[in-house]
């Protein structure tokens, strides 16, 4: 983890391979550069003292990095430490102020019993809705798989195959609509939950102090070239092996993405990543349907 270097900007190289979490958490930063600031936040109320570590970051184009991903960068080891003569971008201060507001929300969630009950009830509603949507999606996918299997029967006329294609397209559209309807319902539930959440907040005077312990201009190298296999011509046999491998591996990957999205969904600052995870799930499900035909 990055040490407490103080508030003077420093330059260093991050070793993303040293990150102990899932490799995908830091994969987007390979061959990139940017800024990250780590800070210790302390919230004091009349009855509590709440301490946590927050992070804010941006890439080389001053595009914000979600706070939970910036925190991943703080967990990597580093090398080539040196002074940085370039001032950090102004956006870092704005991002750190946003995280200061999240410290207050996090304190409320961890110390407010009524709010905790509300959050649990909200997650139960969403889980019930998503389970129903997942059952409906699985039912539609089974029907699509069966139609695709029957479409491959020998002796079918072009007209019959066209009918199968129409039915498959209709079920695909119904599946997409079911997914979109579930996403919209979940979105409405979360908006309503946020409005109720603020009404349940404890109305106490608090003092929040944020003290940066590092301001880093980072860069991360690409993966080692020796790890990249040379491409080989794709033959008919090897293409079928790829399809078999995908049929075996995609369900596990889809489930992993769904679990990650469900874990991040309760926190509204994860909305962008959750939407990206949902898109990946849909893309992989579509790919799985293709390799099953």
């Amino acid at each position: 983890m990055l040490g407490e270097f103080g508030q003077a900007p420093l330059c260093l190289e991050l070793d993303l391979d040293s990150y102990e979490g899932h490799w995908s958490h830091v994969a987007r930063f390979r061959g990139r550069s940017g800024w990250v600031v780590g800070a210790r936040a302390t919230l004091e109320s009349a009855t509590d003292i709440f301490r946590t570590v927050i992070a804010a970051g941006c890439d080389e184009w001053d595009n914000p990095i979600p706070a939970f991903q910036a925190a991943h960068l703080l967990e990597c080891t580093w090398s080539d430490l040196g002074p940085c003569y370039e001032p950090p971008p102004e956006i870092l201060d704005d991002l750190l102020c946003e995280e200061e507001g999240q410290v207050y929300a996090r304190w409320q969630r961890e110390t407010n019993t009524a709010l905790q009950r509300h959050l649990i009830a909200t997650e139960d509603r969403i889980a019930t809705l998503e389970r129903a949507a997942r059952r409906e999606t699985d039912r539609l996918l089974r029907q699509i798989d069966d139609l695709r299997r029957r479409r491959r029967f020998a002796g079918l006329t072009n007209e019959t195959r066209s009918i199968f294609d129409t039915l498959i397209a209709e079920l695909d559209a119904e599946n997409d609509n079911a997914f979109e309807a579930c996403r919209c319902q979940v979105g409405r539930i979360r908006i309503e939950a946020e409005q109720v959440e603020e009404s349940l907040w404890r109305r106490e005077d608090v003092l929040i102090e944020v003290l940066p312990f590092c301001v880093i201009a980072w860069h991360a190298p690409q993966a080692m070239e020796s790890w990249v296999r040379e491409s080989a011509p794709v033959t008919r046999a090897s293409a079928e092996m790829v399809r078999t491998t995908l049929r075996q591996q995609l369900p596990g990957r889809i489930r992993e993405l769904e679990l990650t999205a469900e874990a991040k969904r309760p926190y509204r600052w994860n909305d962008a990543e959750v939407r990206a995870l949902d898109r990946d799930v849909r893309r992989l499900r579509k790919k799985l349907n293709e390799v099953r035909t």
Side-chain angles (χ1 to χ4, degrees):
M1 181 173 177
L2 295 179
E4 299 197 13
F5 298 124
Q7 299 186 32
L10 295 173
C11 295
L12 53 76
E13 178 179 302
L14 289 177
D15 180 9
L16 300 183
D17 295 325
S18 67
Y19 177 69
E20 296 182 356
H22 196 276
W23 64 269
S24 62
H25 295 173
V26 294
R28 62 167 290 197
F29 301 118
R30 292 193 182 277
R32 304 286 300 278
S33 61
W35 286 84
V36 64
V37 55
R40 301 195 183 280
T42 302
L43 182 149
E44 293 187 31
S45 69
T47 56
D48 297 305
I49 296 180
F50 178 74
R51 295 185 176 90
T52 187
V53 173
I54 59 177
C58 63
D59 62 16
E60 61 267 39
W61 307 109
D62 290 353
N63 296 314
I65 296 173
F68 69 93
Q69 291 184 343
H72 296 331
L73 296 177
L74 296 181
E75 299 175 28
C76 299
T77 59
W78 48 270
S79 60
D80 296 337
L81 180 67
C84 181
Y85 301 106
E86 178 184 355
E90 295 180 359
I91 191 175
L92 280 184
D93 291 333
D94 297 334
L95 295 174
L96 205 57
C97 287
E98 291 180 9
E99 286 308 299
E100 183 177 332
Q102 293 303 323
V103 170
Y104 181 75
R106 200 178 310 168
W107 168 73
Q108 289 279 359
R109 295 187 182 107
E110 294 189 14
T111 60
N112 189 328
T113 304
L115 183 55
Q116 290 174 357
R117 287 196 298 267
H118 164 67
L119 294 175
I120 292 172
T122 299
E123 291 311 310
D124 288 343
R125 287 179 61 194
I126 291 174
T128 300
L129 180 64
E130 290 179 338
R131 281 195 298 269
R134 192 173 295 115
R135 285 195 298 269
E136 178 66 10
T137 297
D138 291 342
R139 181 185 67 82
L140 292 170
L141 290 177
R142 285 194 298 270
Q143 292 182 7
I144 292 172
D145 289 343
D146 181 61
L147 289 172
R148 284 175 172 161
R149 178 184 61 82
R150 293 163 61 185
R151 186 186 182 280
R152 294 196 298 271
F153 287 171
L156 297 180
T157 64
N158 290 336
E159 182 181 358
T160 303
R161 294 184 188 277
S162 177
I163 293 174
F164 275 118
D165 289 339
T166 301
L167 292 174
I168 291 170
E170 290 176 352
L171 289 175
D172 267 332
E174 186 177 348
N175 187 32
D176 290 342
N177 291 336
F179 178 88
E180 185 64 22
C182 176
R183 190 186 68 81
C184 291
Q185 285 181 281
V186 170
R188 286 195 295 270
I189 290 174
R190 293 199 179 281
I191 291 174
E192 294 171 2
E194 288 179 4
Q195 294 172 350
V196 175
E197 177 181 343
E198 293 186 5
S199 69
L200 292 174
W201 279 0
R202 293 159 53 186
R203 305 303 175 183
E204 297 183 24
D205 292 332
V206 297
L207 175 65
I208 301 177
E209 181 181 19
V210 175
L211 182 62
F213 60 80
C214 65
V215 181
I216 300 298
W218 58 271
H219 66 278
Q222 287 280 10
M224 295 178 60
E225 292 184 2
S226 59
W227 293 357
V228 181
R229 296 181 179 179
E230 294 183 359
S231 59
V234 179
T235 63
R236 185 178 184 84
S238 65
E240 184 57 34
M241 290 176 62
V242 170
R243 292 167 65 87
T244 302
T245 301
L246 289 174
R247 285 195 293 268
Q248 295 171 348
Q249 295 182 353
L250 283 179
R253 178 57 178 160
I254 290 171
R255 184 57 182 158
E256 180 183 347
L257 290 175
E258 288 177 338
L259 291 174
T260 302
E262 290 173 5
K264 295 181 180 297
R265 212 179 295 276
Y267 309 105
R268 61 175 179 268
W269 55 86
N270 291 339
D271 284 352
E273 190 194 14
V274 169
R275 285 195 296 270
L277 289 169
D278 288 339
R279 286 195 299 270
D280 288 342
V281 168
R282 296 182 65 186
R283 177 178 56 81
L284 292 180
R285 283 190 181 277
K286 183 177 180 181
K287 184 65 177 178
L288 182 58
N289 289 333
E290 292 175 357
V291 299
R292 281 174 172 171
T293 58

